[in-house]
Amino acid sequence: MKIVNRLVVLVLVTLLNVNTGVAQSKSKVKKLSDDERMAWWRDAKFGMFIHWGAYSIIGGERGTKIAGGGAEWAMDKLDYTVKDYEQFPKMFNPTLFDADAWVKMAKDAGMKYIVITSKHHEGFALWDSKVSNYDVMDTAPFKRDVIKELSVACKKAGIIFCVYYSIVDWHHPQAQGNLYPNYNIAQHDDPSVVNPEFPQYFKNYMKPQVKELLTNYGDIGVVWFDGDWISDYTTEMGKELYNFIREIQPNTIVNNRVDKGRTGMDGMNNKPGQFAGDFGTPEQEIPDTGIATDWEACMTMNGTWGYKPSDTNWKSSEDLIEKLVDIVSKGGNFLLNIGPDGFGRFPAESIRRLEAMGQWTKKNGEAIYGASASPYEKPKWGRYTKKGDVLYAHVFNWPKDGLLKLNKDIKFKKVTLLTNPGVALNALKTSSEVVVDVPMMSPDAPVTVVKIELAK
Ligand code: JFZ
């Protein structure tokens, strides 16, 4: 770049920093209360998880061997040494990556935030890290800052940008990277394996990397940690990290995997206020009932987080829509995963499911966004959600006799189909239920929403 251009850029960047609050300092940013800070997240309900890294090139296959489970664990499961594995970051060149297109697919699906793996267990960083050369700018031929492009695209589209960061690092010599030069037993997740230098990795690598993510990419909605199970990581480190993040960006939300002391279904049984980050993270499962803490269920569309073409075990769109409703009816958020391939494309099967979910959320979003958990036990035909003086009955199994039976305690003022507000449905209260006269066919399958305006 010419010197004059460089000066112009410098001035522009300085101006931008001042105007957008990108360079957040302790004094300038208003510190919100916990409820204010969590408000956007509690309303959002539906987000996109993106698992993308050098493992996306591998697709879970090495010769004839196929990794079991998540293909983002390729380095571990396919027995790569640290040196052997480095070939993949050196190949990372996803020329079809289009941040705006990714963000549009999330937004059209009805998702309100995106969480991307800035660095997964493999250790390869998808941003321009000054702390490391094992990143997209220095090791990979791609030389584009993925985190930058995605954060800018999110901001443009009004999607909240969030980052996943792995505490586990199979590449870093002071983490799990150099324990066994030719074969890393820690990669097989043996909790007895420790690296006495881990505190140095924590202090001189992990924290500075997290700081880069929180300093150079505008507001970060959530920092989503993972890998806290390794013995080297301590509760004290978790506390330090949590406070460190809140000092840089006071209003950022942090998941419970920042902490080691979680109980039950990945922190779901932690009492409110007990240190465990800001929300619980049940993985690949939905709790039976709601719970007193904030929580987010993360889930894959097939059985893998990272790209794995051999996994064709896709959940149906109908199933995914019902899962979204189920989660919201229990007061949670749904973080649904995409594993883009090594070229930067979403799998076609994922795109189709996102589109189906978008068609449904576009019509029925009123019953999802900003809604809270059902005040009633789950009915046989589906789920309830609630917002102010309105109750929503999400019907999965449409009644064959055209009579929908609601909870007897409901005091209704007016009942309609959510997608047909002009036509009031007849409703009748009996001693055991409230019966609503609905059309014979489900108009918005797989889930039709009946809107019940409540009497005071
Ligand atoms: C982790 C990762 O190992 C995996 O690759 C993926 O990124 C996933 C979202 O998170 O796997 C976990 C982490 C935590 C639990 C289970 C699997 N847990 O607490 O039950």
Side-chain angles (χ1 to χ4, degrees):
M1 223 188 287
K2 288 208 195 80
I3 301 250
V4 180
N5 284 347
R6 255 194 237 172
L7 272 176
V8 172
V9 169
L10 187 70
V11 171
L12 273 178
V13 166
T14 312
L15 283 174
L16 273 176
N17 281 349
V18 171
N19 287 337
T20 60
V22 163
Q24 305 210 25
S25 76
K26 276 178 235 178
S27 54
K28 263 194 240 129
V29 178
K30 187 178 178 271
K31 202 167 179 169
L32 303 174
S33 71
D34 282 344
D35 280 336
E36 289 169 329
R37 183 167 62 93
M38 296 298 292
W40 74 263
W41 186 91
R42 287 175 182 158
D43 285 349
K45 296 297 164 201
F46 190 24
M48 178 183 281
F49 214 171
I50 300 177
H51 274 72
W52 203 38
Y55 47 81
S56 311
I57 298 170
I58 302 169
E61 295 176 27
R62 183 177 193 180
T64 54
K65 203 173 164 195
I66 295 184
E72 72 287 355
W73 276 63
M75 180 172 171
D76 168 282
K77 290 179 179 163
L78 299 174
D79 302 336
Y80 282 103
T81 63
V82 171
K83 277 277 155 289
D84 272 355
Y85 193 81
E86 283 175 355
Q87 66 182 297
F88 298 109
K90 283 181 191 154
M91 269 179 218
F92 189 76
N93 197 20
T95 47
L96 299 179
F97 169 59
D98 178 346
D100 291 312
W102 281 18
V103 171
K104 187 174 188 306
M105 285 190 273
K107 191 173 180 167
D108 289 348
M111 293 159 158
K112 306 294 187 191
Y113 59 107
I114 291 180
V115 184
I116 181 161
T117 50
S118 65
K119 184 200 84 168
H120 204 266
H121 310 336
E122 65 176 1
F124 175 59
L126 290 184
W127 75 97
D128 185 5
S129 177
K130 301 299 178 216
V131 187
S132 171
N133 283 334
Y134 206 50
D135 73 350
V136 72
M137 306 305 276
D138 298 309
T139 295
F142 197 42
K143 303 210 187 308
R144 278 165 57 188
D145 186 330
V146 168
I147 297 301
K148 174 64 97 196
E149 291 184 26
L150 206 54
S151 65
V152 169
C154 280
K155 203 134 297 170
K156 251 195 296 178
I159 297 292
I160 308 272
F161 180 70
C162 312
V163 290
Y164 164 112
Y165 185 93
S166 171
I167 296 161
V168 168
D169 193 313
W170 294 330
H171 183 264
H172 197 285
Q174 293 176 322
Q176 290 75 48
N178 79 335
L179 296 172
Y180 292 81
N182 291 317
Y183 193 69
N184 183 349
I185 200 167
Q187 290 165 21
H188 286 275
D189 227 21
D190 178 347
S192 68
V193 174
V194 294
N195 189 335
E197 293 182 358
F198 187 83
Q200 280 150 262
Y201 156 81
F202 177 75
K203 179 165 178 276
N204 302 323
Y205 192 84
M206 207 181 129
K207 278 176 73 181
Q209 280 208 325
V210 169
K211 186 173 182 180
E212 288 179 332
L213 291 167
L214 287 160
T215 310
N216 301 333
Y217 302 96
D219 292 338
I220 301 294
V222 175
V223 185
W224 211 105
F225 283 106
D226 191 23
D228 55 294
W229 60 77
I230 51 171
S231 355
D232 290 320
Y233 189 67
T234 63
T235 302
E236 288 63 44
M237 286 175 181
K239 289 196 168 127
E240 185 180 328
L241 198 53
Y242 184 87
N243 294 332
F244 179 68
I245 289 165
R246 298 285 308 278
E247 257 170 45
I248 306 170
Q249 289 206 23
N251 302 323
T252 294
I253 296 168
V254 184
N255 74 334
N256 66 343
R257 295 185 192 185
V258 71
D259 179 24
K260 272 185 102 73
R262 312 183 310 246
T263 58
M265 195 182 186
D266 203 15
M268 294 294 292
N269 299 336
N270 277 102
K271 293 184 185 65
Q274 189 176 343
F275 178 74
D278 295 314
F279 63 90
T281 51
E283 173 166 327
Q284 302 284 36
E285 58 184 334
I286 302 173
D288 276 341
T289 58
I291 225 142
T293 55
D294 289 296
W295 60 277
E296 172 190 72
C298 55
M299 211 173 272
T300 50
M301 288 186 179
N302 50 1
T304 175
W305 300 94
Y307 178 67
K308 189 181 184 188
S310 60
D311 183 341
T312 56
N313 190 20
W314 297 92
K315 297 174 183 76
S316 68
S317 304
E318 291 75 16
D319 186 14
L320 292 169
I321 292 167
E322 291 187 358
K323 283 185 160 63
L324 172 65
V325 173
D326 185 24
I327 289 165
V328 175
S329 82
K330 294 166 181 171
N333 279 13
F334 192 21
L335 188 64
L336 183 58
N337 184 70
I338 301 287
D341 70 13
F343 298 100
R345 298 174 297 194
F346 284 10
E349 293 86 348
S350 301
I351 294 174
R352 279 204 291 278
R353 282 155 183 80
L354 289 174
E355 282 172 354
M357 296 189 85
Q359 282 168 18
W360 188 86
T361 51
K362 196 172 278 167
K363 282 192 285 182
N364 301 286
E366 180 190 318
I368 295 291
Y369 307 112
S372 46
S374 167
Y376 305 113
E377 261 181 49
K378 54 184 178 203
K380 288 197 188 71
W381 42 256
R383 298 288 183 272
Y384 291 109
T385 62
K386 189 172 187 284
K387 197 153 71 175
D389 292 333
V390 181
L391 185 72
Y392 300 94
H394 299 251
V395 186
F396 300 175
N397 306 308
W398 197 250
K400 291 195 176 59
D401 58 1
L403 296 175
L404 180 67
K405 287 158 188 145
L406 307 178
N407 188 290
K408 66 172 169 33
D409 299 328
I410 295 170
K411 295 194 184 69
F412 59 89
K413 202 161 66 183
K414 187 182 175 195
V415 183
T416 62
L417 293 174
L418 179 59
T419 55
N420 194 4
V423 180
L425 302 175
N426 287 322
L428 181 77
K429 193 177 170 68
T430 73
S431 57
S432 58
E433 56 210 8
V434 169
V435 184
V436 182
D437 211 343
V438 293
M440 291 305 285
M441 302 287 281
S442 167
D444 297 306
V447 179
T448 291
V449 180
V450 175
K451 178 174 178 174
I452 304 136
E453 292 172 40
L454 299 171
K456 291 264 155 57

